[in-house]
Amino acid sequence: FDLKRAGGSGGVVPAPDLQTAPVAMRALASAIAAGEVRACHDLSEGGLAVAAAESAFAGDLGAELDISAVSLGTLPASYDPDATRLFSESCTRWIVEVSPEKEDAFRARFKETPLAHIGRVTESPRLVIRGTDRATLIDLSTDELRAAHQSGFQG
């Protein structure tokens, strides 16, 4: 598919922040080594929405997420902030599960980098994601997520 031929234009390829990235990676590695991280998934292929879905159906657990706390830089007027938060593949971003009793220690490691608490893991096998206006953007079972992930794009 040729995007330019179809009249579209491509976006900007994400580039790492070479000041923040090493600090964030060291913080994550030290949190993992200290046993503070229960699960972690990078946001490189499909962004937060795909990572949350893969995490949910991999463990047959669910999650309730509120993406309003995910920081964004300045966006062009035409950008949808919820879509950007859900699907951005910018560098050095992860969704991390931390047990409540280890949250303070985990947060302390990231005092020099952006960090947002966006939700919780649930026993119910559903992924529910709410947007900036608290509207439900996604509410799907892990079975639906798995089926969509394994079937590929159908349209």
Side-chain angles (χ1 to χ4, degrees):
F1 179 75
D2 185 340
L3 184 62
K4 290 193 185 241
R5 184 179 262 165
S9 63
V12 176
V13 176
D17 176 335
L18 297 178
Q19 298 299 313
T20 304
V23 175
M25 286 186 226
R26 280 192 295 275
L28 181 61
S30 67
I32 291 169
E36 296 164 3
V37 174
R38 294 174 79 177
C40 180
H41 194 312
D42 69 291
L43 307 188
S44 65
E45 294 182 22
L48 176 61
V50 172
E54 289 174 344
S55 297
F57 69 69
D60 277 326
L61 294 170
E64 293 178 358
L65 306 179
D66 176 349
I67 61 170
S68 63
V70 175
S71 64
L72 294 175
T74 304
L75 295 177
S78 62
Y79 279 48
D80 178 314
D82 285 336
T84 301
R85 285 181 173 96
L86 285 173
F87 302 109
S88 173
E89 296 177 344
S90 53
C91 302
T92 324
R93 295 176 63 223
W94 308 278
I95 185 169
V96 181
E97 179 188 357
V98 176
S99 58
E101 65 272 7
K102 296 185 179 183
E103 185 176 348
D104 289 341
F106 181 82
R107 281 184 175 282
R109 293 181 191 282
F110 286 85
K111 63 183 175 276
E112 297 178 36
T113 61
L115 180 69
H117 183 275
I118 62 167
R120 65 185 187 91
V121 173
T122 64
E123 293 293 321
S124 171
R126 295 194 75 73
L127 175 61
V128 179
I129 301 179
R130 291 185 181 81
T132 53
D133 63 358
R134 304 283 301 144
T136 300
L137 303 173
I138 296 170
D139 185 353
L140 295 168
S141 72
T142 55
D143 289 339
E144 292 171 293
L145 295 168
R146 187 180 296 105
H149 188 267
Q150 293 174 344
S151 67
F153 183 64
Q154 301 296 315

